[in-house]
Amino acid sequence: SFLWKVIRYLLTTCLLFCGCWIHAQQDKLTIDQIHLHMHLELFPKVGMVKGHVAIAFVLPDTTIDSLRLDAVRMSVHQVSYNGLPAGYRNSGKELIISRPKERLHSGDTCFLEVDYSCTPRKGIYFQGWHEGQGAPQIWTQGQGIDHRHWIPHQDDQRDKLTHSIFLKFPAEYEVISNGLLESSELLGEDKMWKYRTKEPAPSYLIALAIGHY
């Protein structure tokens, strides 16, 4: 009957709308990253990254009670939110961080810090660090979502941010990254390299190359 056709049409439309709304909610960015700072140590012979990241961000929705960072196969040692220890759950793919109740105004800057280590399979590559493997080198390739394997952050191409890298590495090697080289300080047999970008960009564009150049 005509009435049944109208009811079926309305039900179908409602289901499609609900499905699109649910997908949109699930696909929302939980934070809007402003700056990502990375303080890194690399151990190329074992393919390991140890790091401390500090993320400055704003919350598009100040009512949410947890924050999510992409973090694949990482050992997380400590997490802090606005300078205080924060509870978290590590799923092996994501870091879900409990956010304490607080008063925030729209646009207020917040801070997350994560101490971690990992032996990534993607995103950063260690080649030639064992005899017979050629020239030793380290290089990164983040497009489209591979940096989540070695940097805990919101790894989404829609999110644009500036970044900085502090990296100590044996002084005989050159360390190249995108952005401005702020300094390269000799520390005994090592050198501390400091790079910083000024223009916001998706995090997959973070680049690092190490070798005899």
Side-chain angles (χ1 to χ4, degrees):
S1 68
F2 175 75
L3 180 59
W4 171 242
K5 288 182 179 179
V6 171
I7 292 172
R8 186 169 60 180
Y9 170 78
L10 291 173
L11 285 172
T12 302
T13 303
C14 182
L15 288 172
L16 286 172
F17 173 79
C18 289
C20 291
W21 184 86
I22 290 170
H23 178 75
Q25 297 304 307
Q26 292 174 337
D27 204 34
K28 275 185 177 179
L29 300 180
T30 60
I31 63 175
D32 180 6
Q33 296 171 122
I34 301 169
H35 185 80
L36 170 64
H37 175 69
M38 297 155 279
H39 197 140
L40 304 171
E41 288 185 87
L42 305 180
F43 302 87
K45 289 188 176 181
V46 293
M48 178 180 286
V49 178
K50 287 186 178 180
H52 172 89
V53 300
I55 304 170
F57 65 95
V58 296
L59 286 169
D61 180 1
T62 58
T63 66
I64 60 173
D65 58 8
S66 62
L67 311 172
R68 294 176 180 269
L69 300 181
D70 297 298
V72 179
R73 298 179 65 251
M74 294 186 186
S75 296
V76 175
H77 311 302
Q78 185 173 333
V79 177
S80 67
Y81 172 77
N82 286 344
L84 297 174
Y88 63 90
R89 180 169 63 86
N90 186 353
S91 74
K93 293 183 178 180
E94 283 186 318
L95 195 57
I96 300 96
I97 301 158
S98 300
R99 178 176 163 259
K101 292 182 179 179
E102 60 181 345
R103 284 188 176 182
L104 280 180
H105 297 94
S106 179
D108 284 353
T109 302
C110 303
F111 299 91
L112 275 175
E113 296 181 68
V114 182
D115 290 314
Y116 71 100
S117 59
C118 59
T119 51
R121 297 176 180 175
K122 294 181 179 180
I124 185 167
Y125 302 90
F126 304 89
Q127 295 187 349
W129 296 92
H130 298 280
E131 190 174 348
Q133 293 184 344
Q137 57 184 311
I138 300 171
W139 54 278
T140 61
Q141 173 58 51
Q143 195 173 4
I145 54 172
D146 283 355
H147 279 342
R148 63 184 60 192
H149 291 263
W150 68 286
I151 309 169
H153 71 299
Q154 183 173 258
D155 189 10
D156 192 296
Q157 297 182 26
R158 295 170 296 172
D159 196 7
K160 296 182 179 181
L161 62 153
T162 57
H163 74 267
S164 52
I165 294 178
F166 288 8
L167 173 62
K168 186 171 74 171
F169 205 75
E172 64 180 290
Y173 296 95
E174 291 290 320
V175 175
I176 300 171
S177 184
N178 42 356
L180 174 69
L181 175 60
E182 293 187 326
S183 64
S184 56
E185 180 184 359
L186 194 62
L187 301 172
E189 296 182 352
D190 296 323
K191 189 179 281 190
M192 175 65 79
W193 301 80
K194 297 181 180 181
Y195 284 91
R196 183 180 301 271
T197 62
K198 292 184 177 180
E199 298 298 327
S203 63
Y204 76 84
L205 293 174
I206 294 171
L208 190 63
I210 300 174
H212 290 129
Y213 302 125

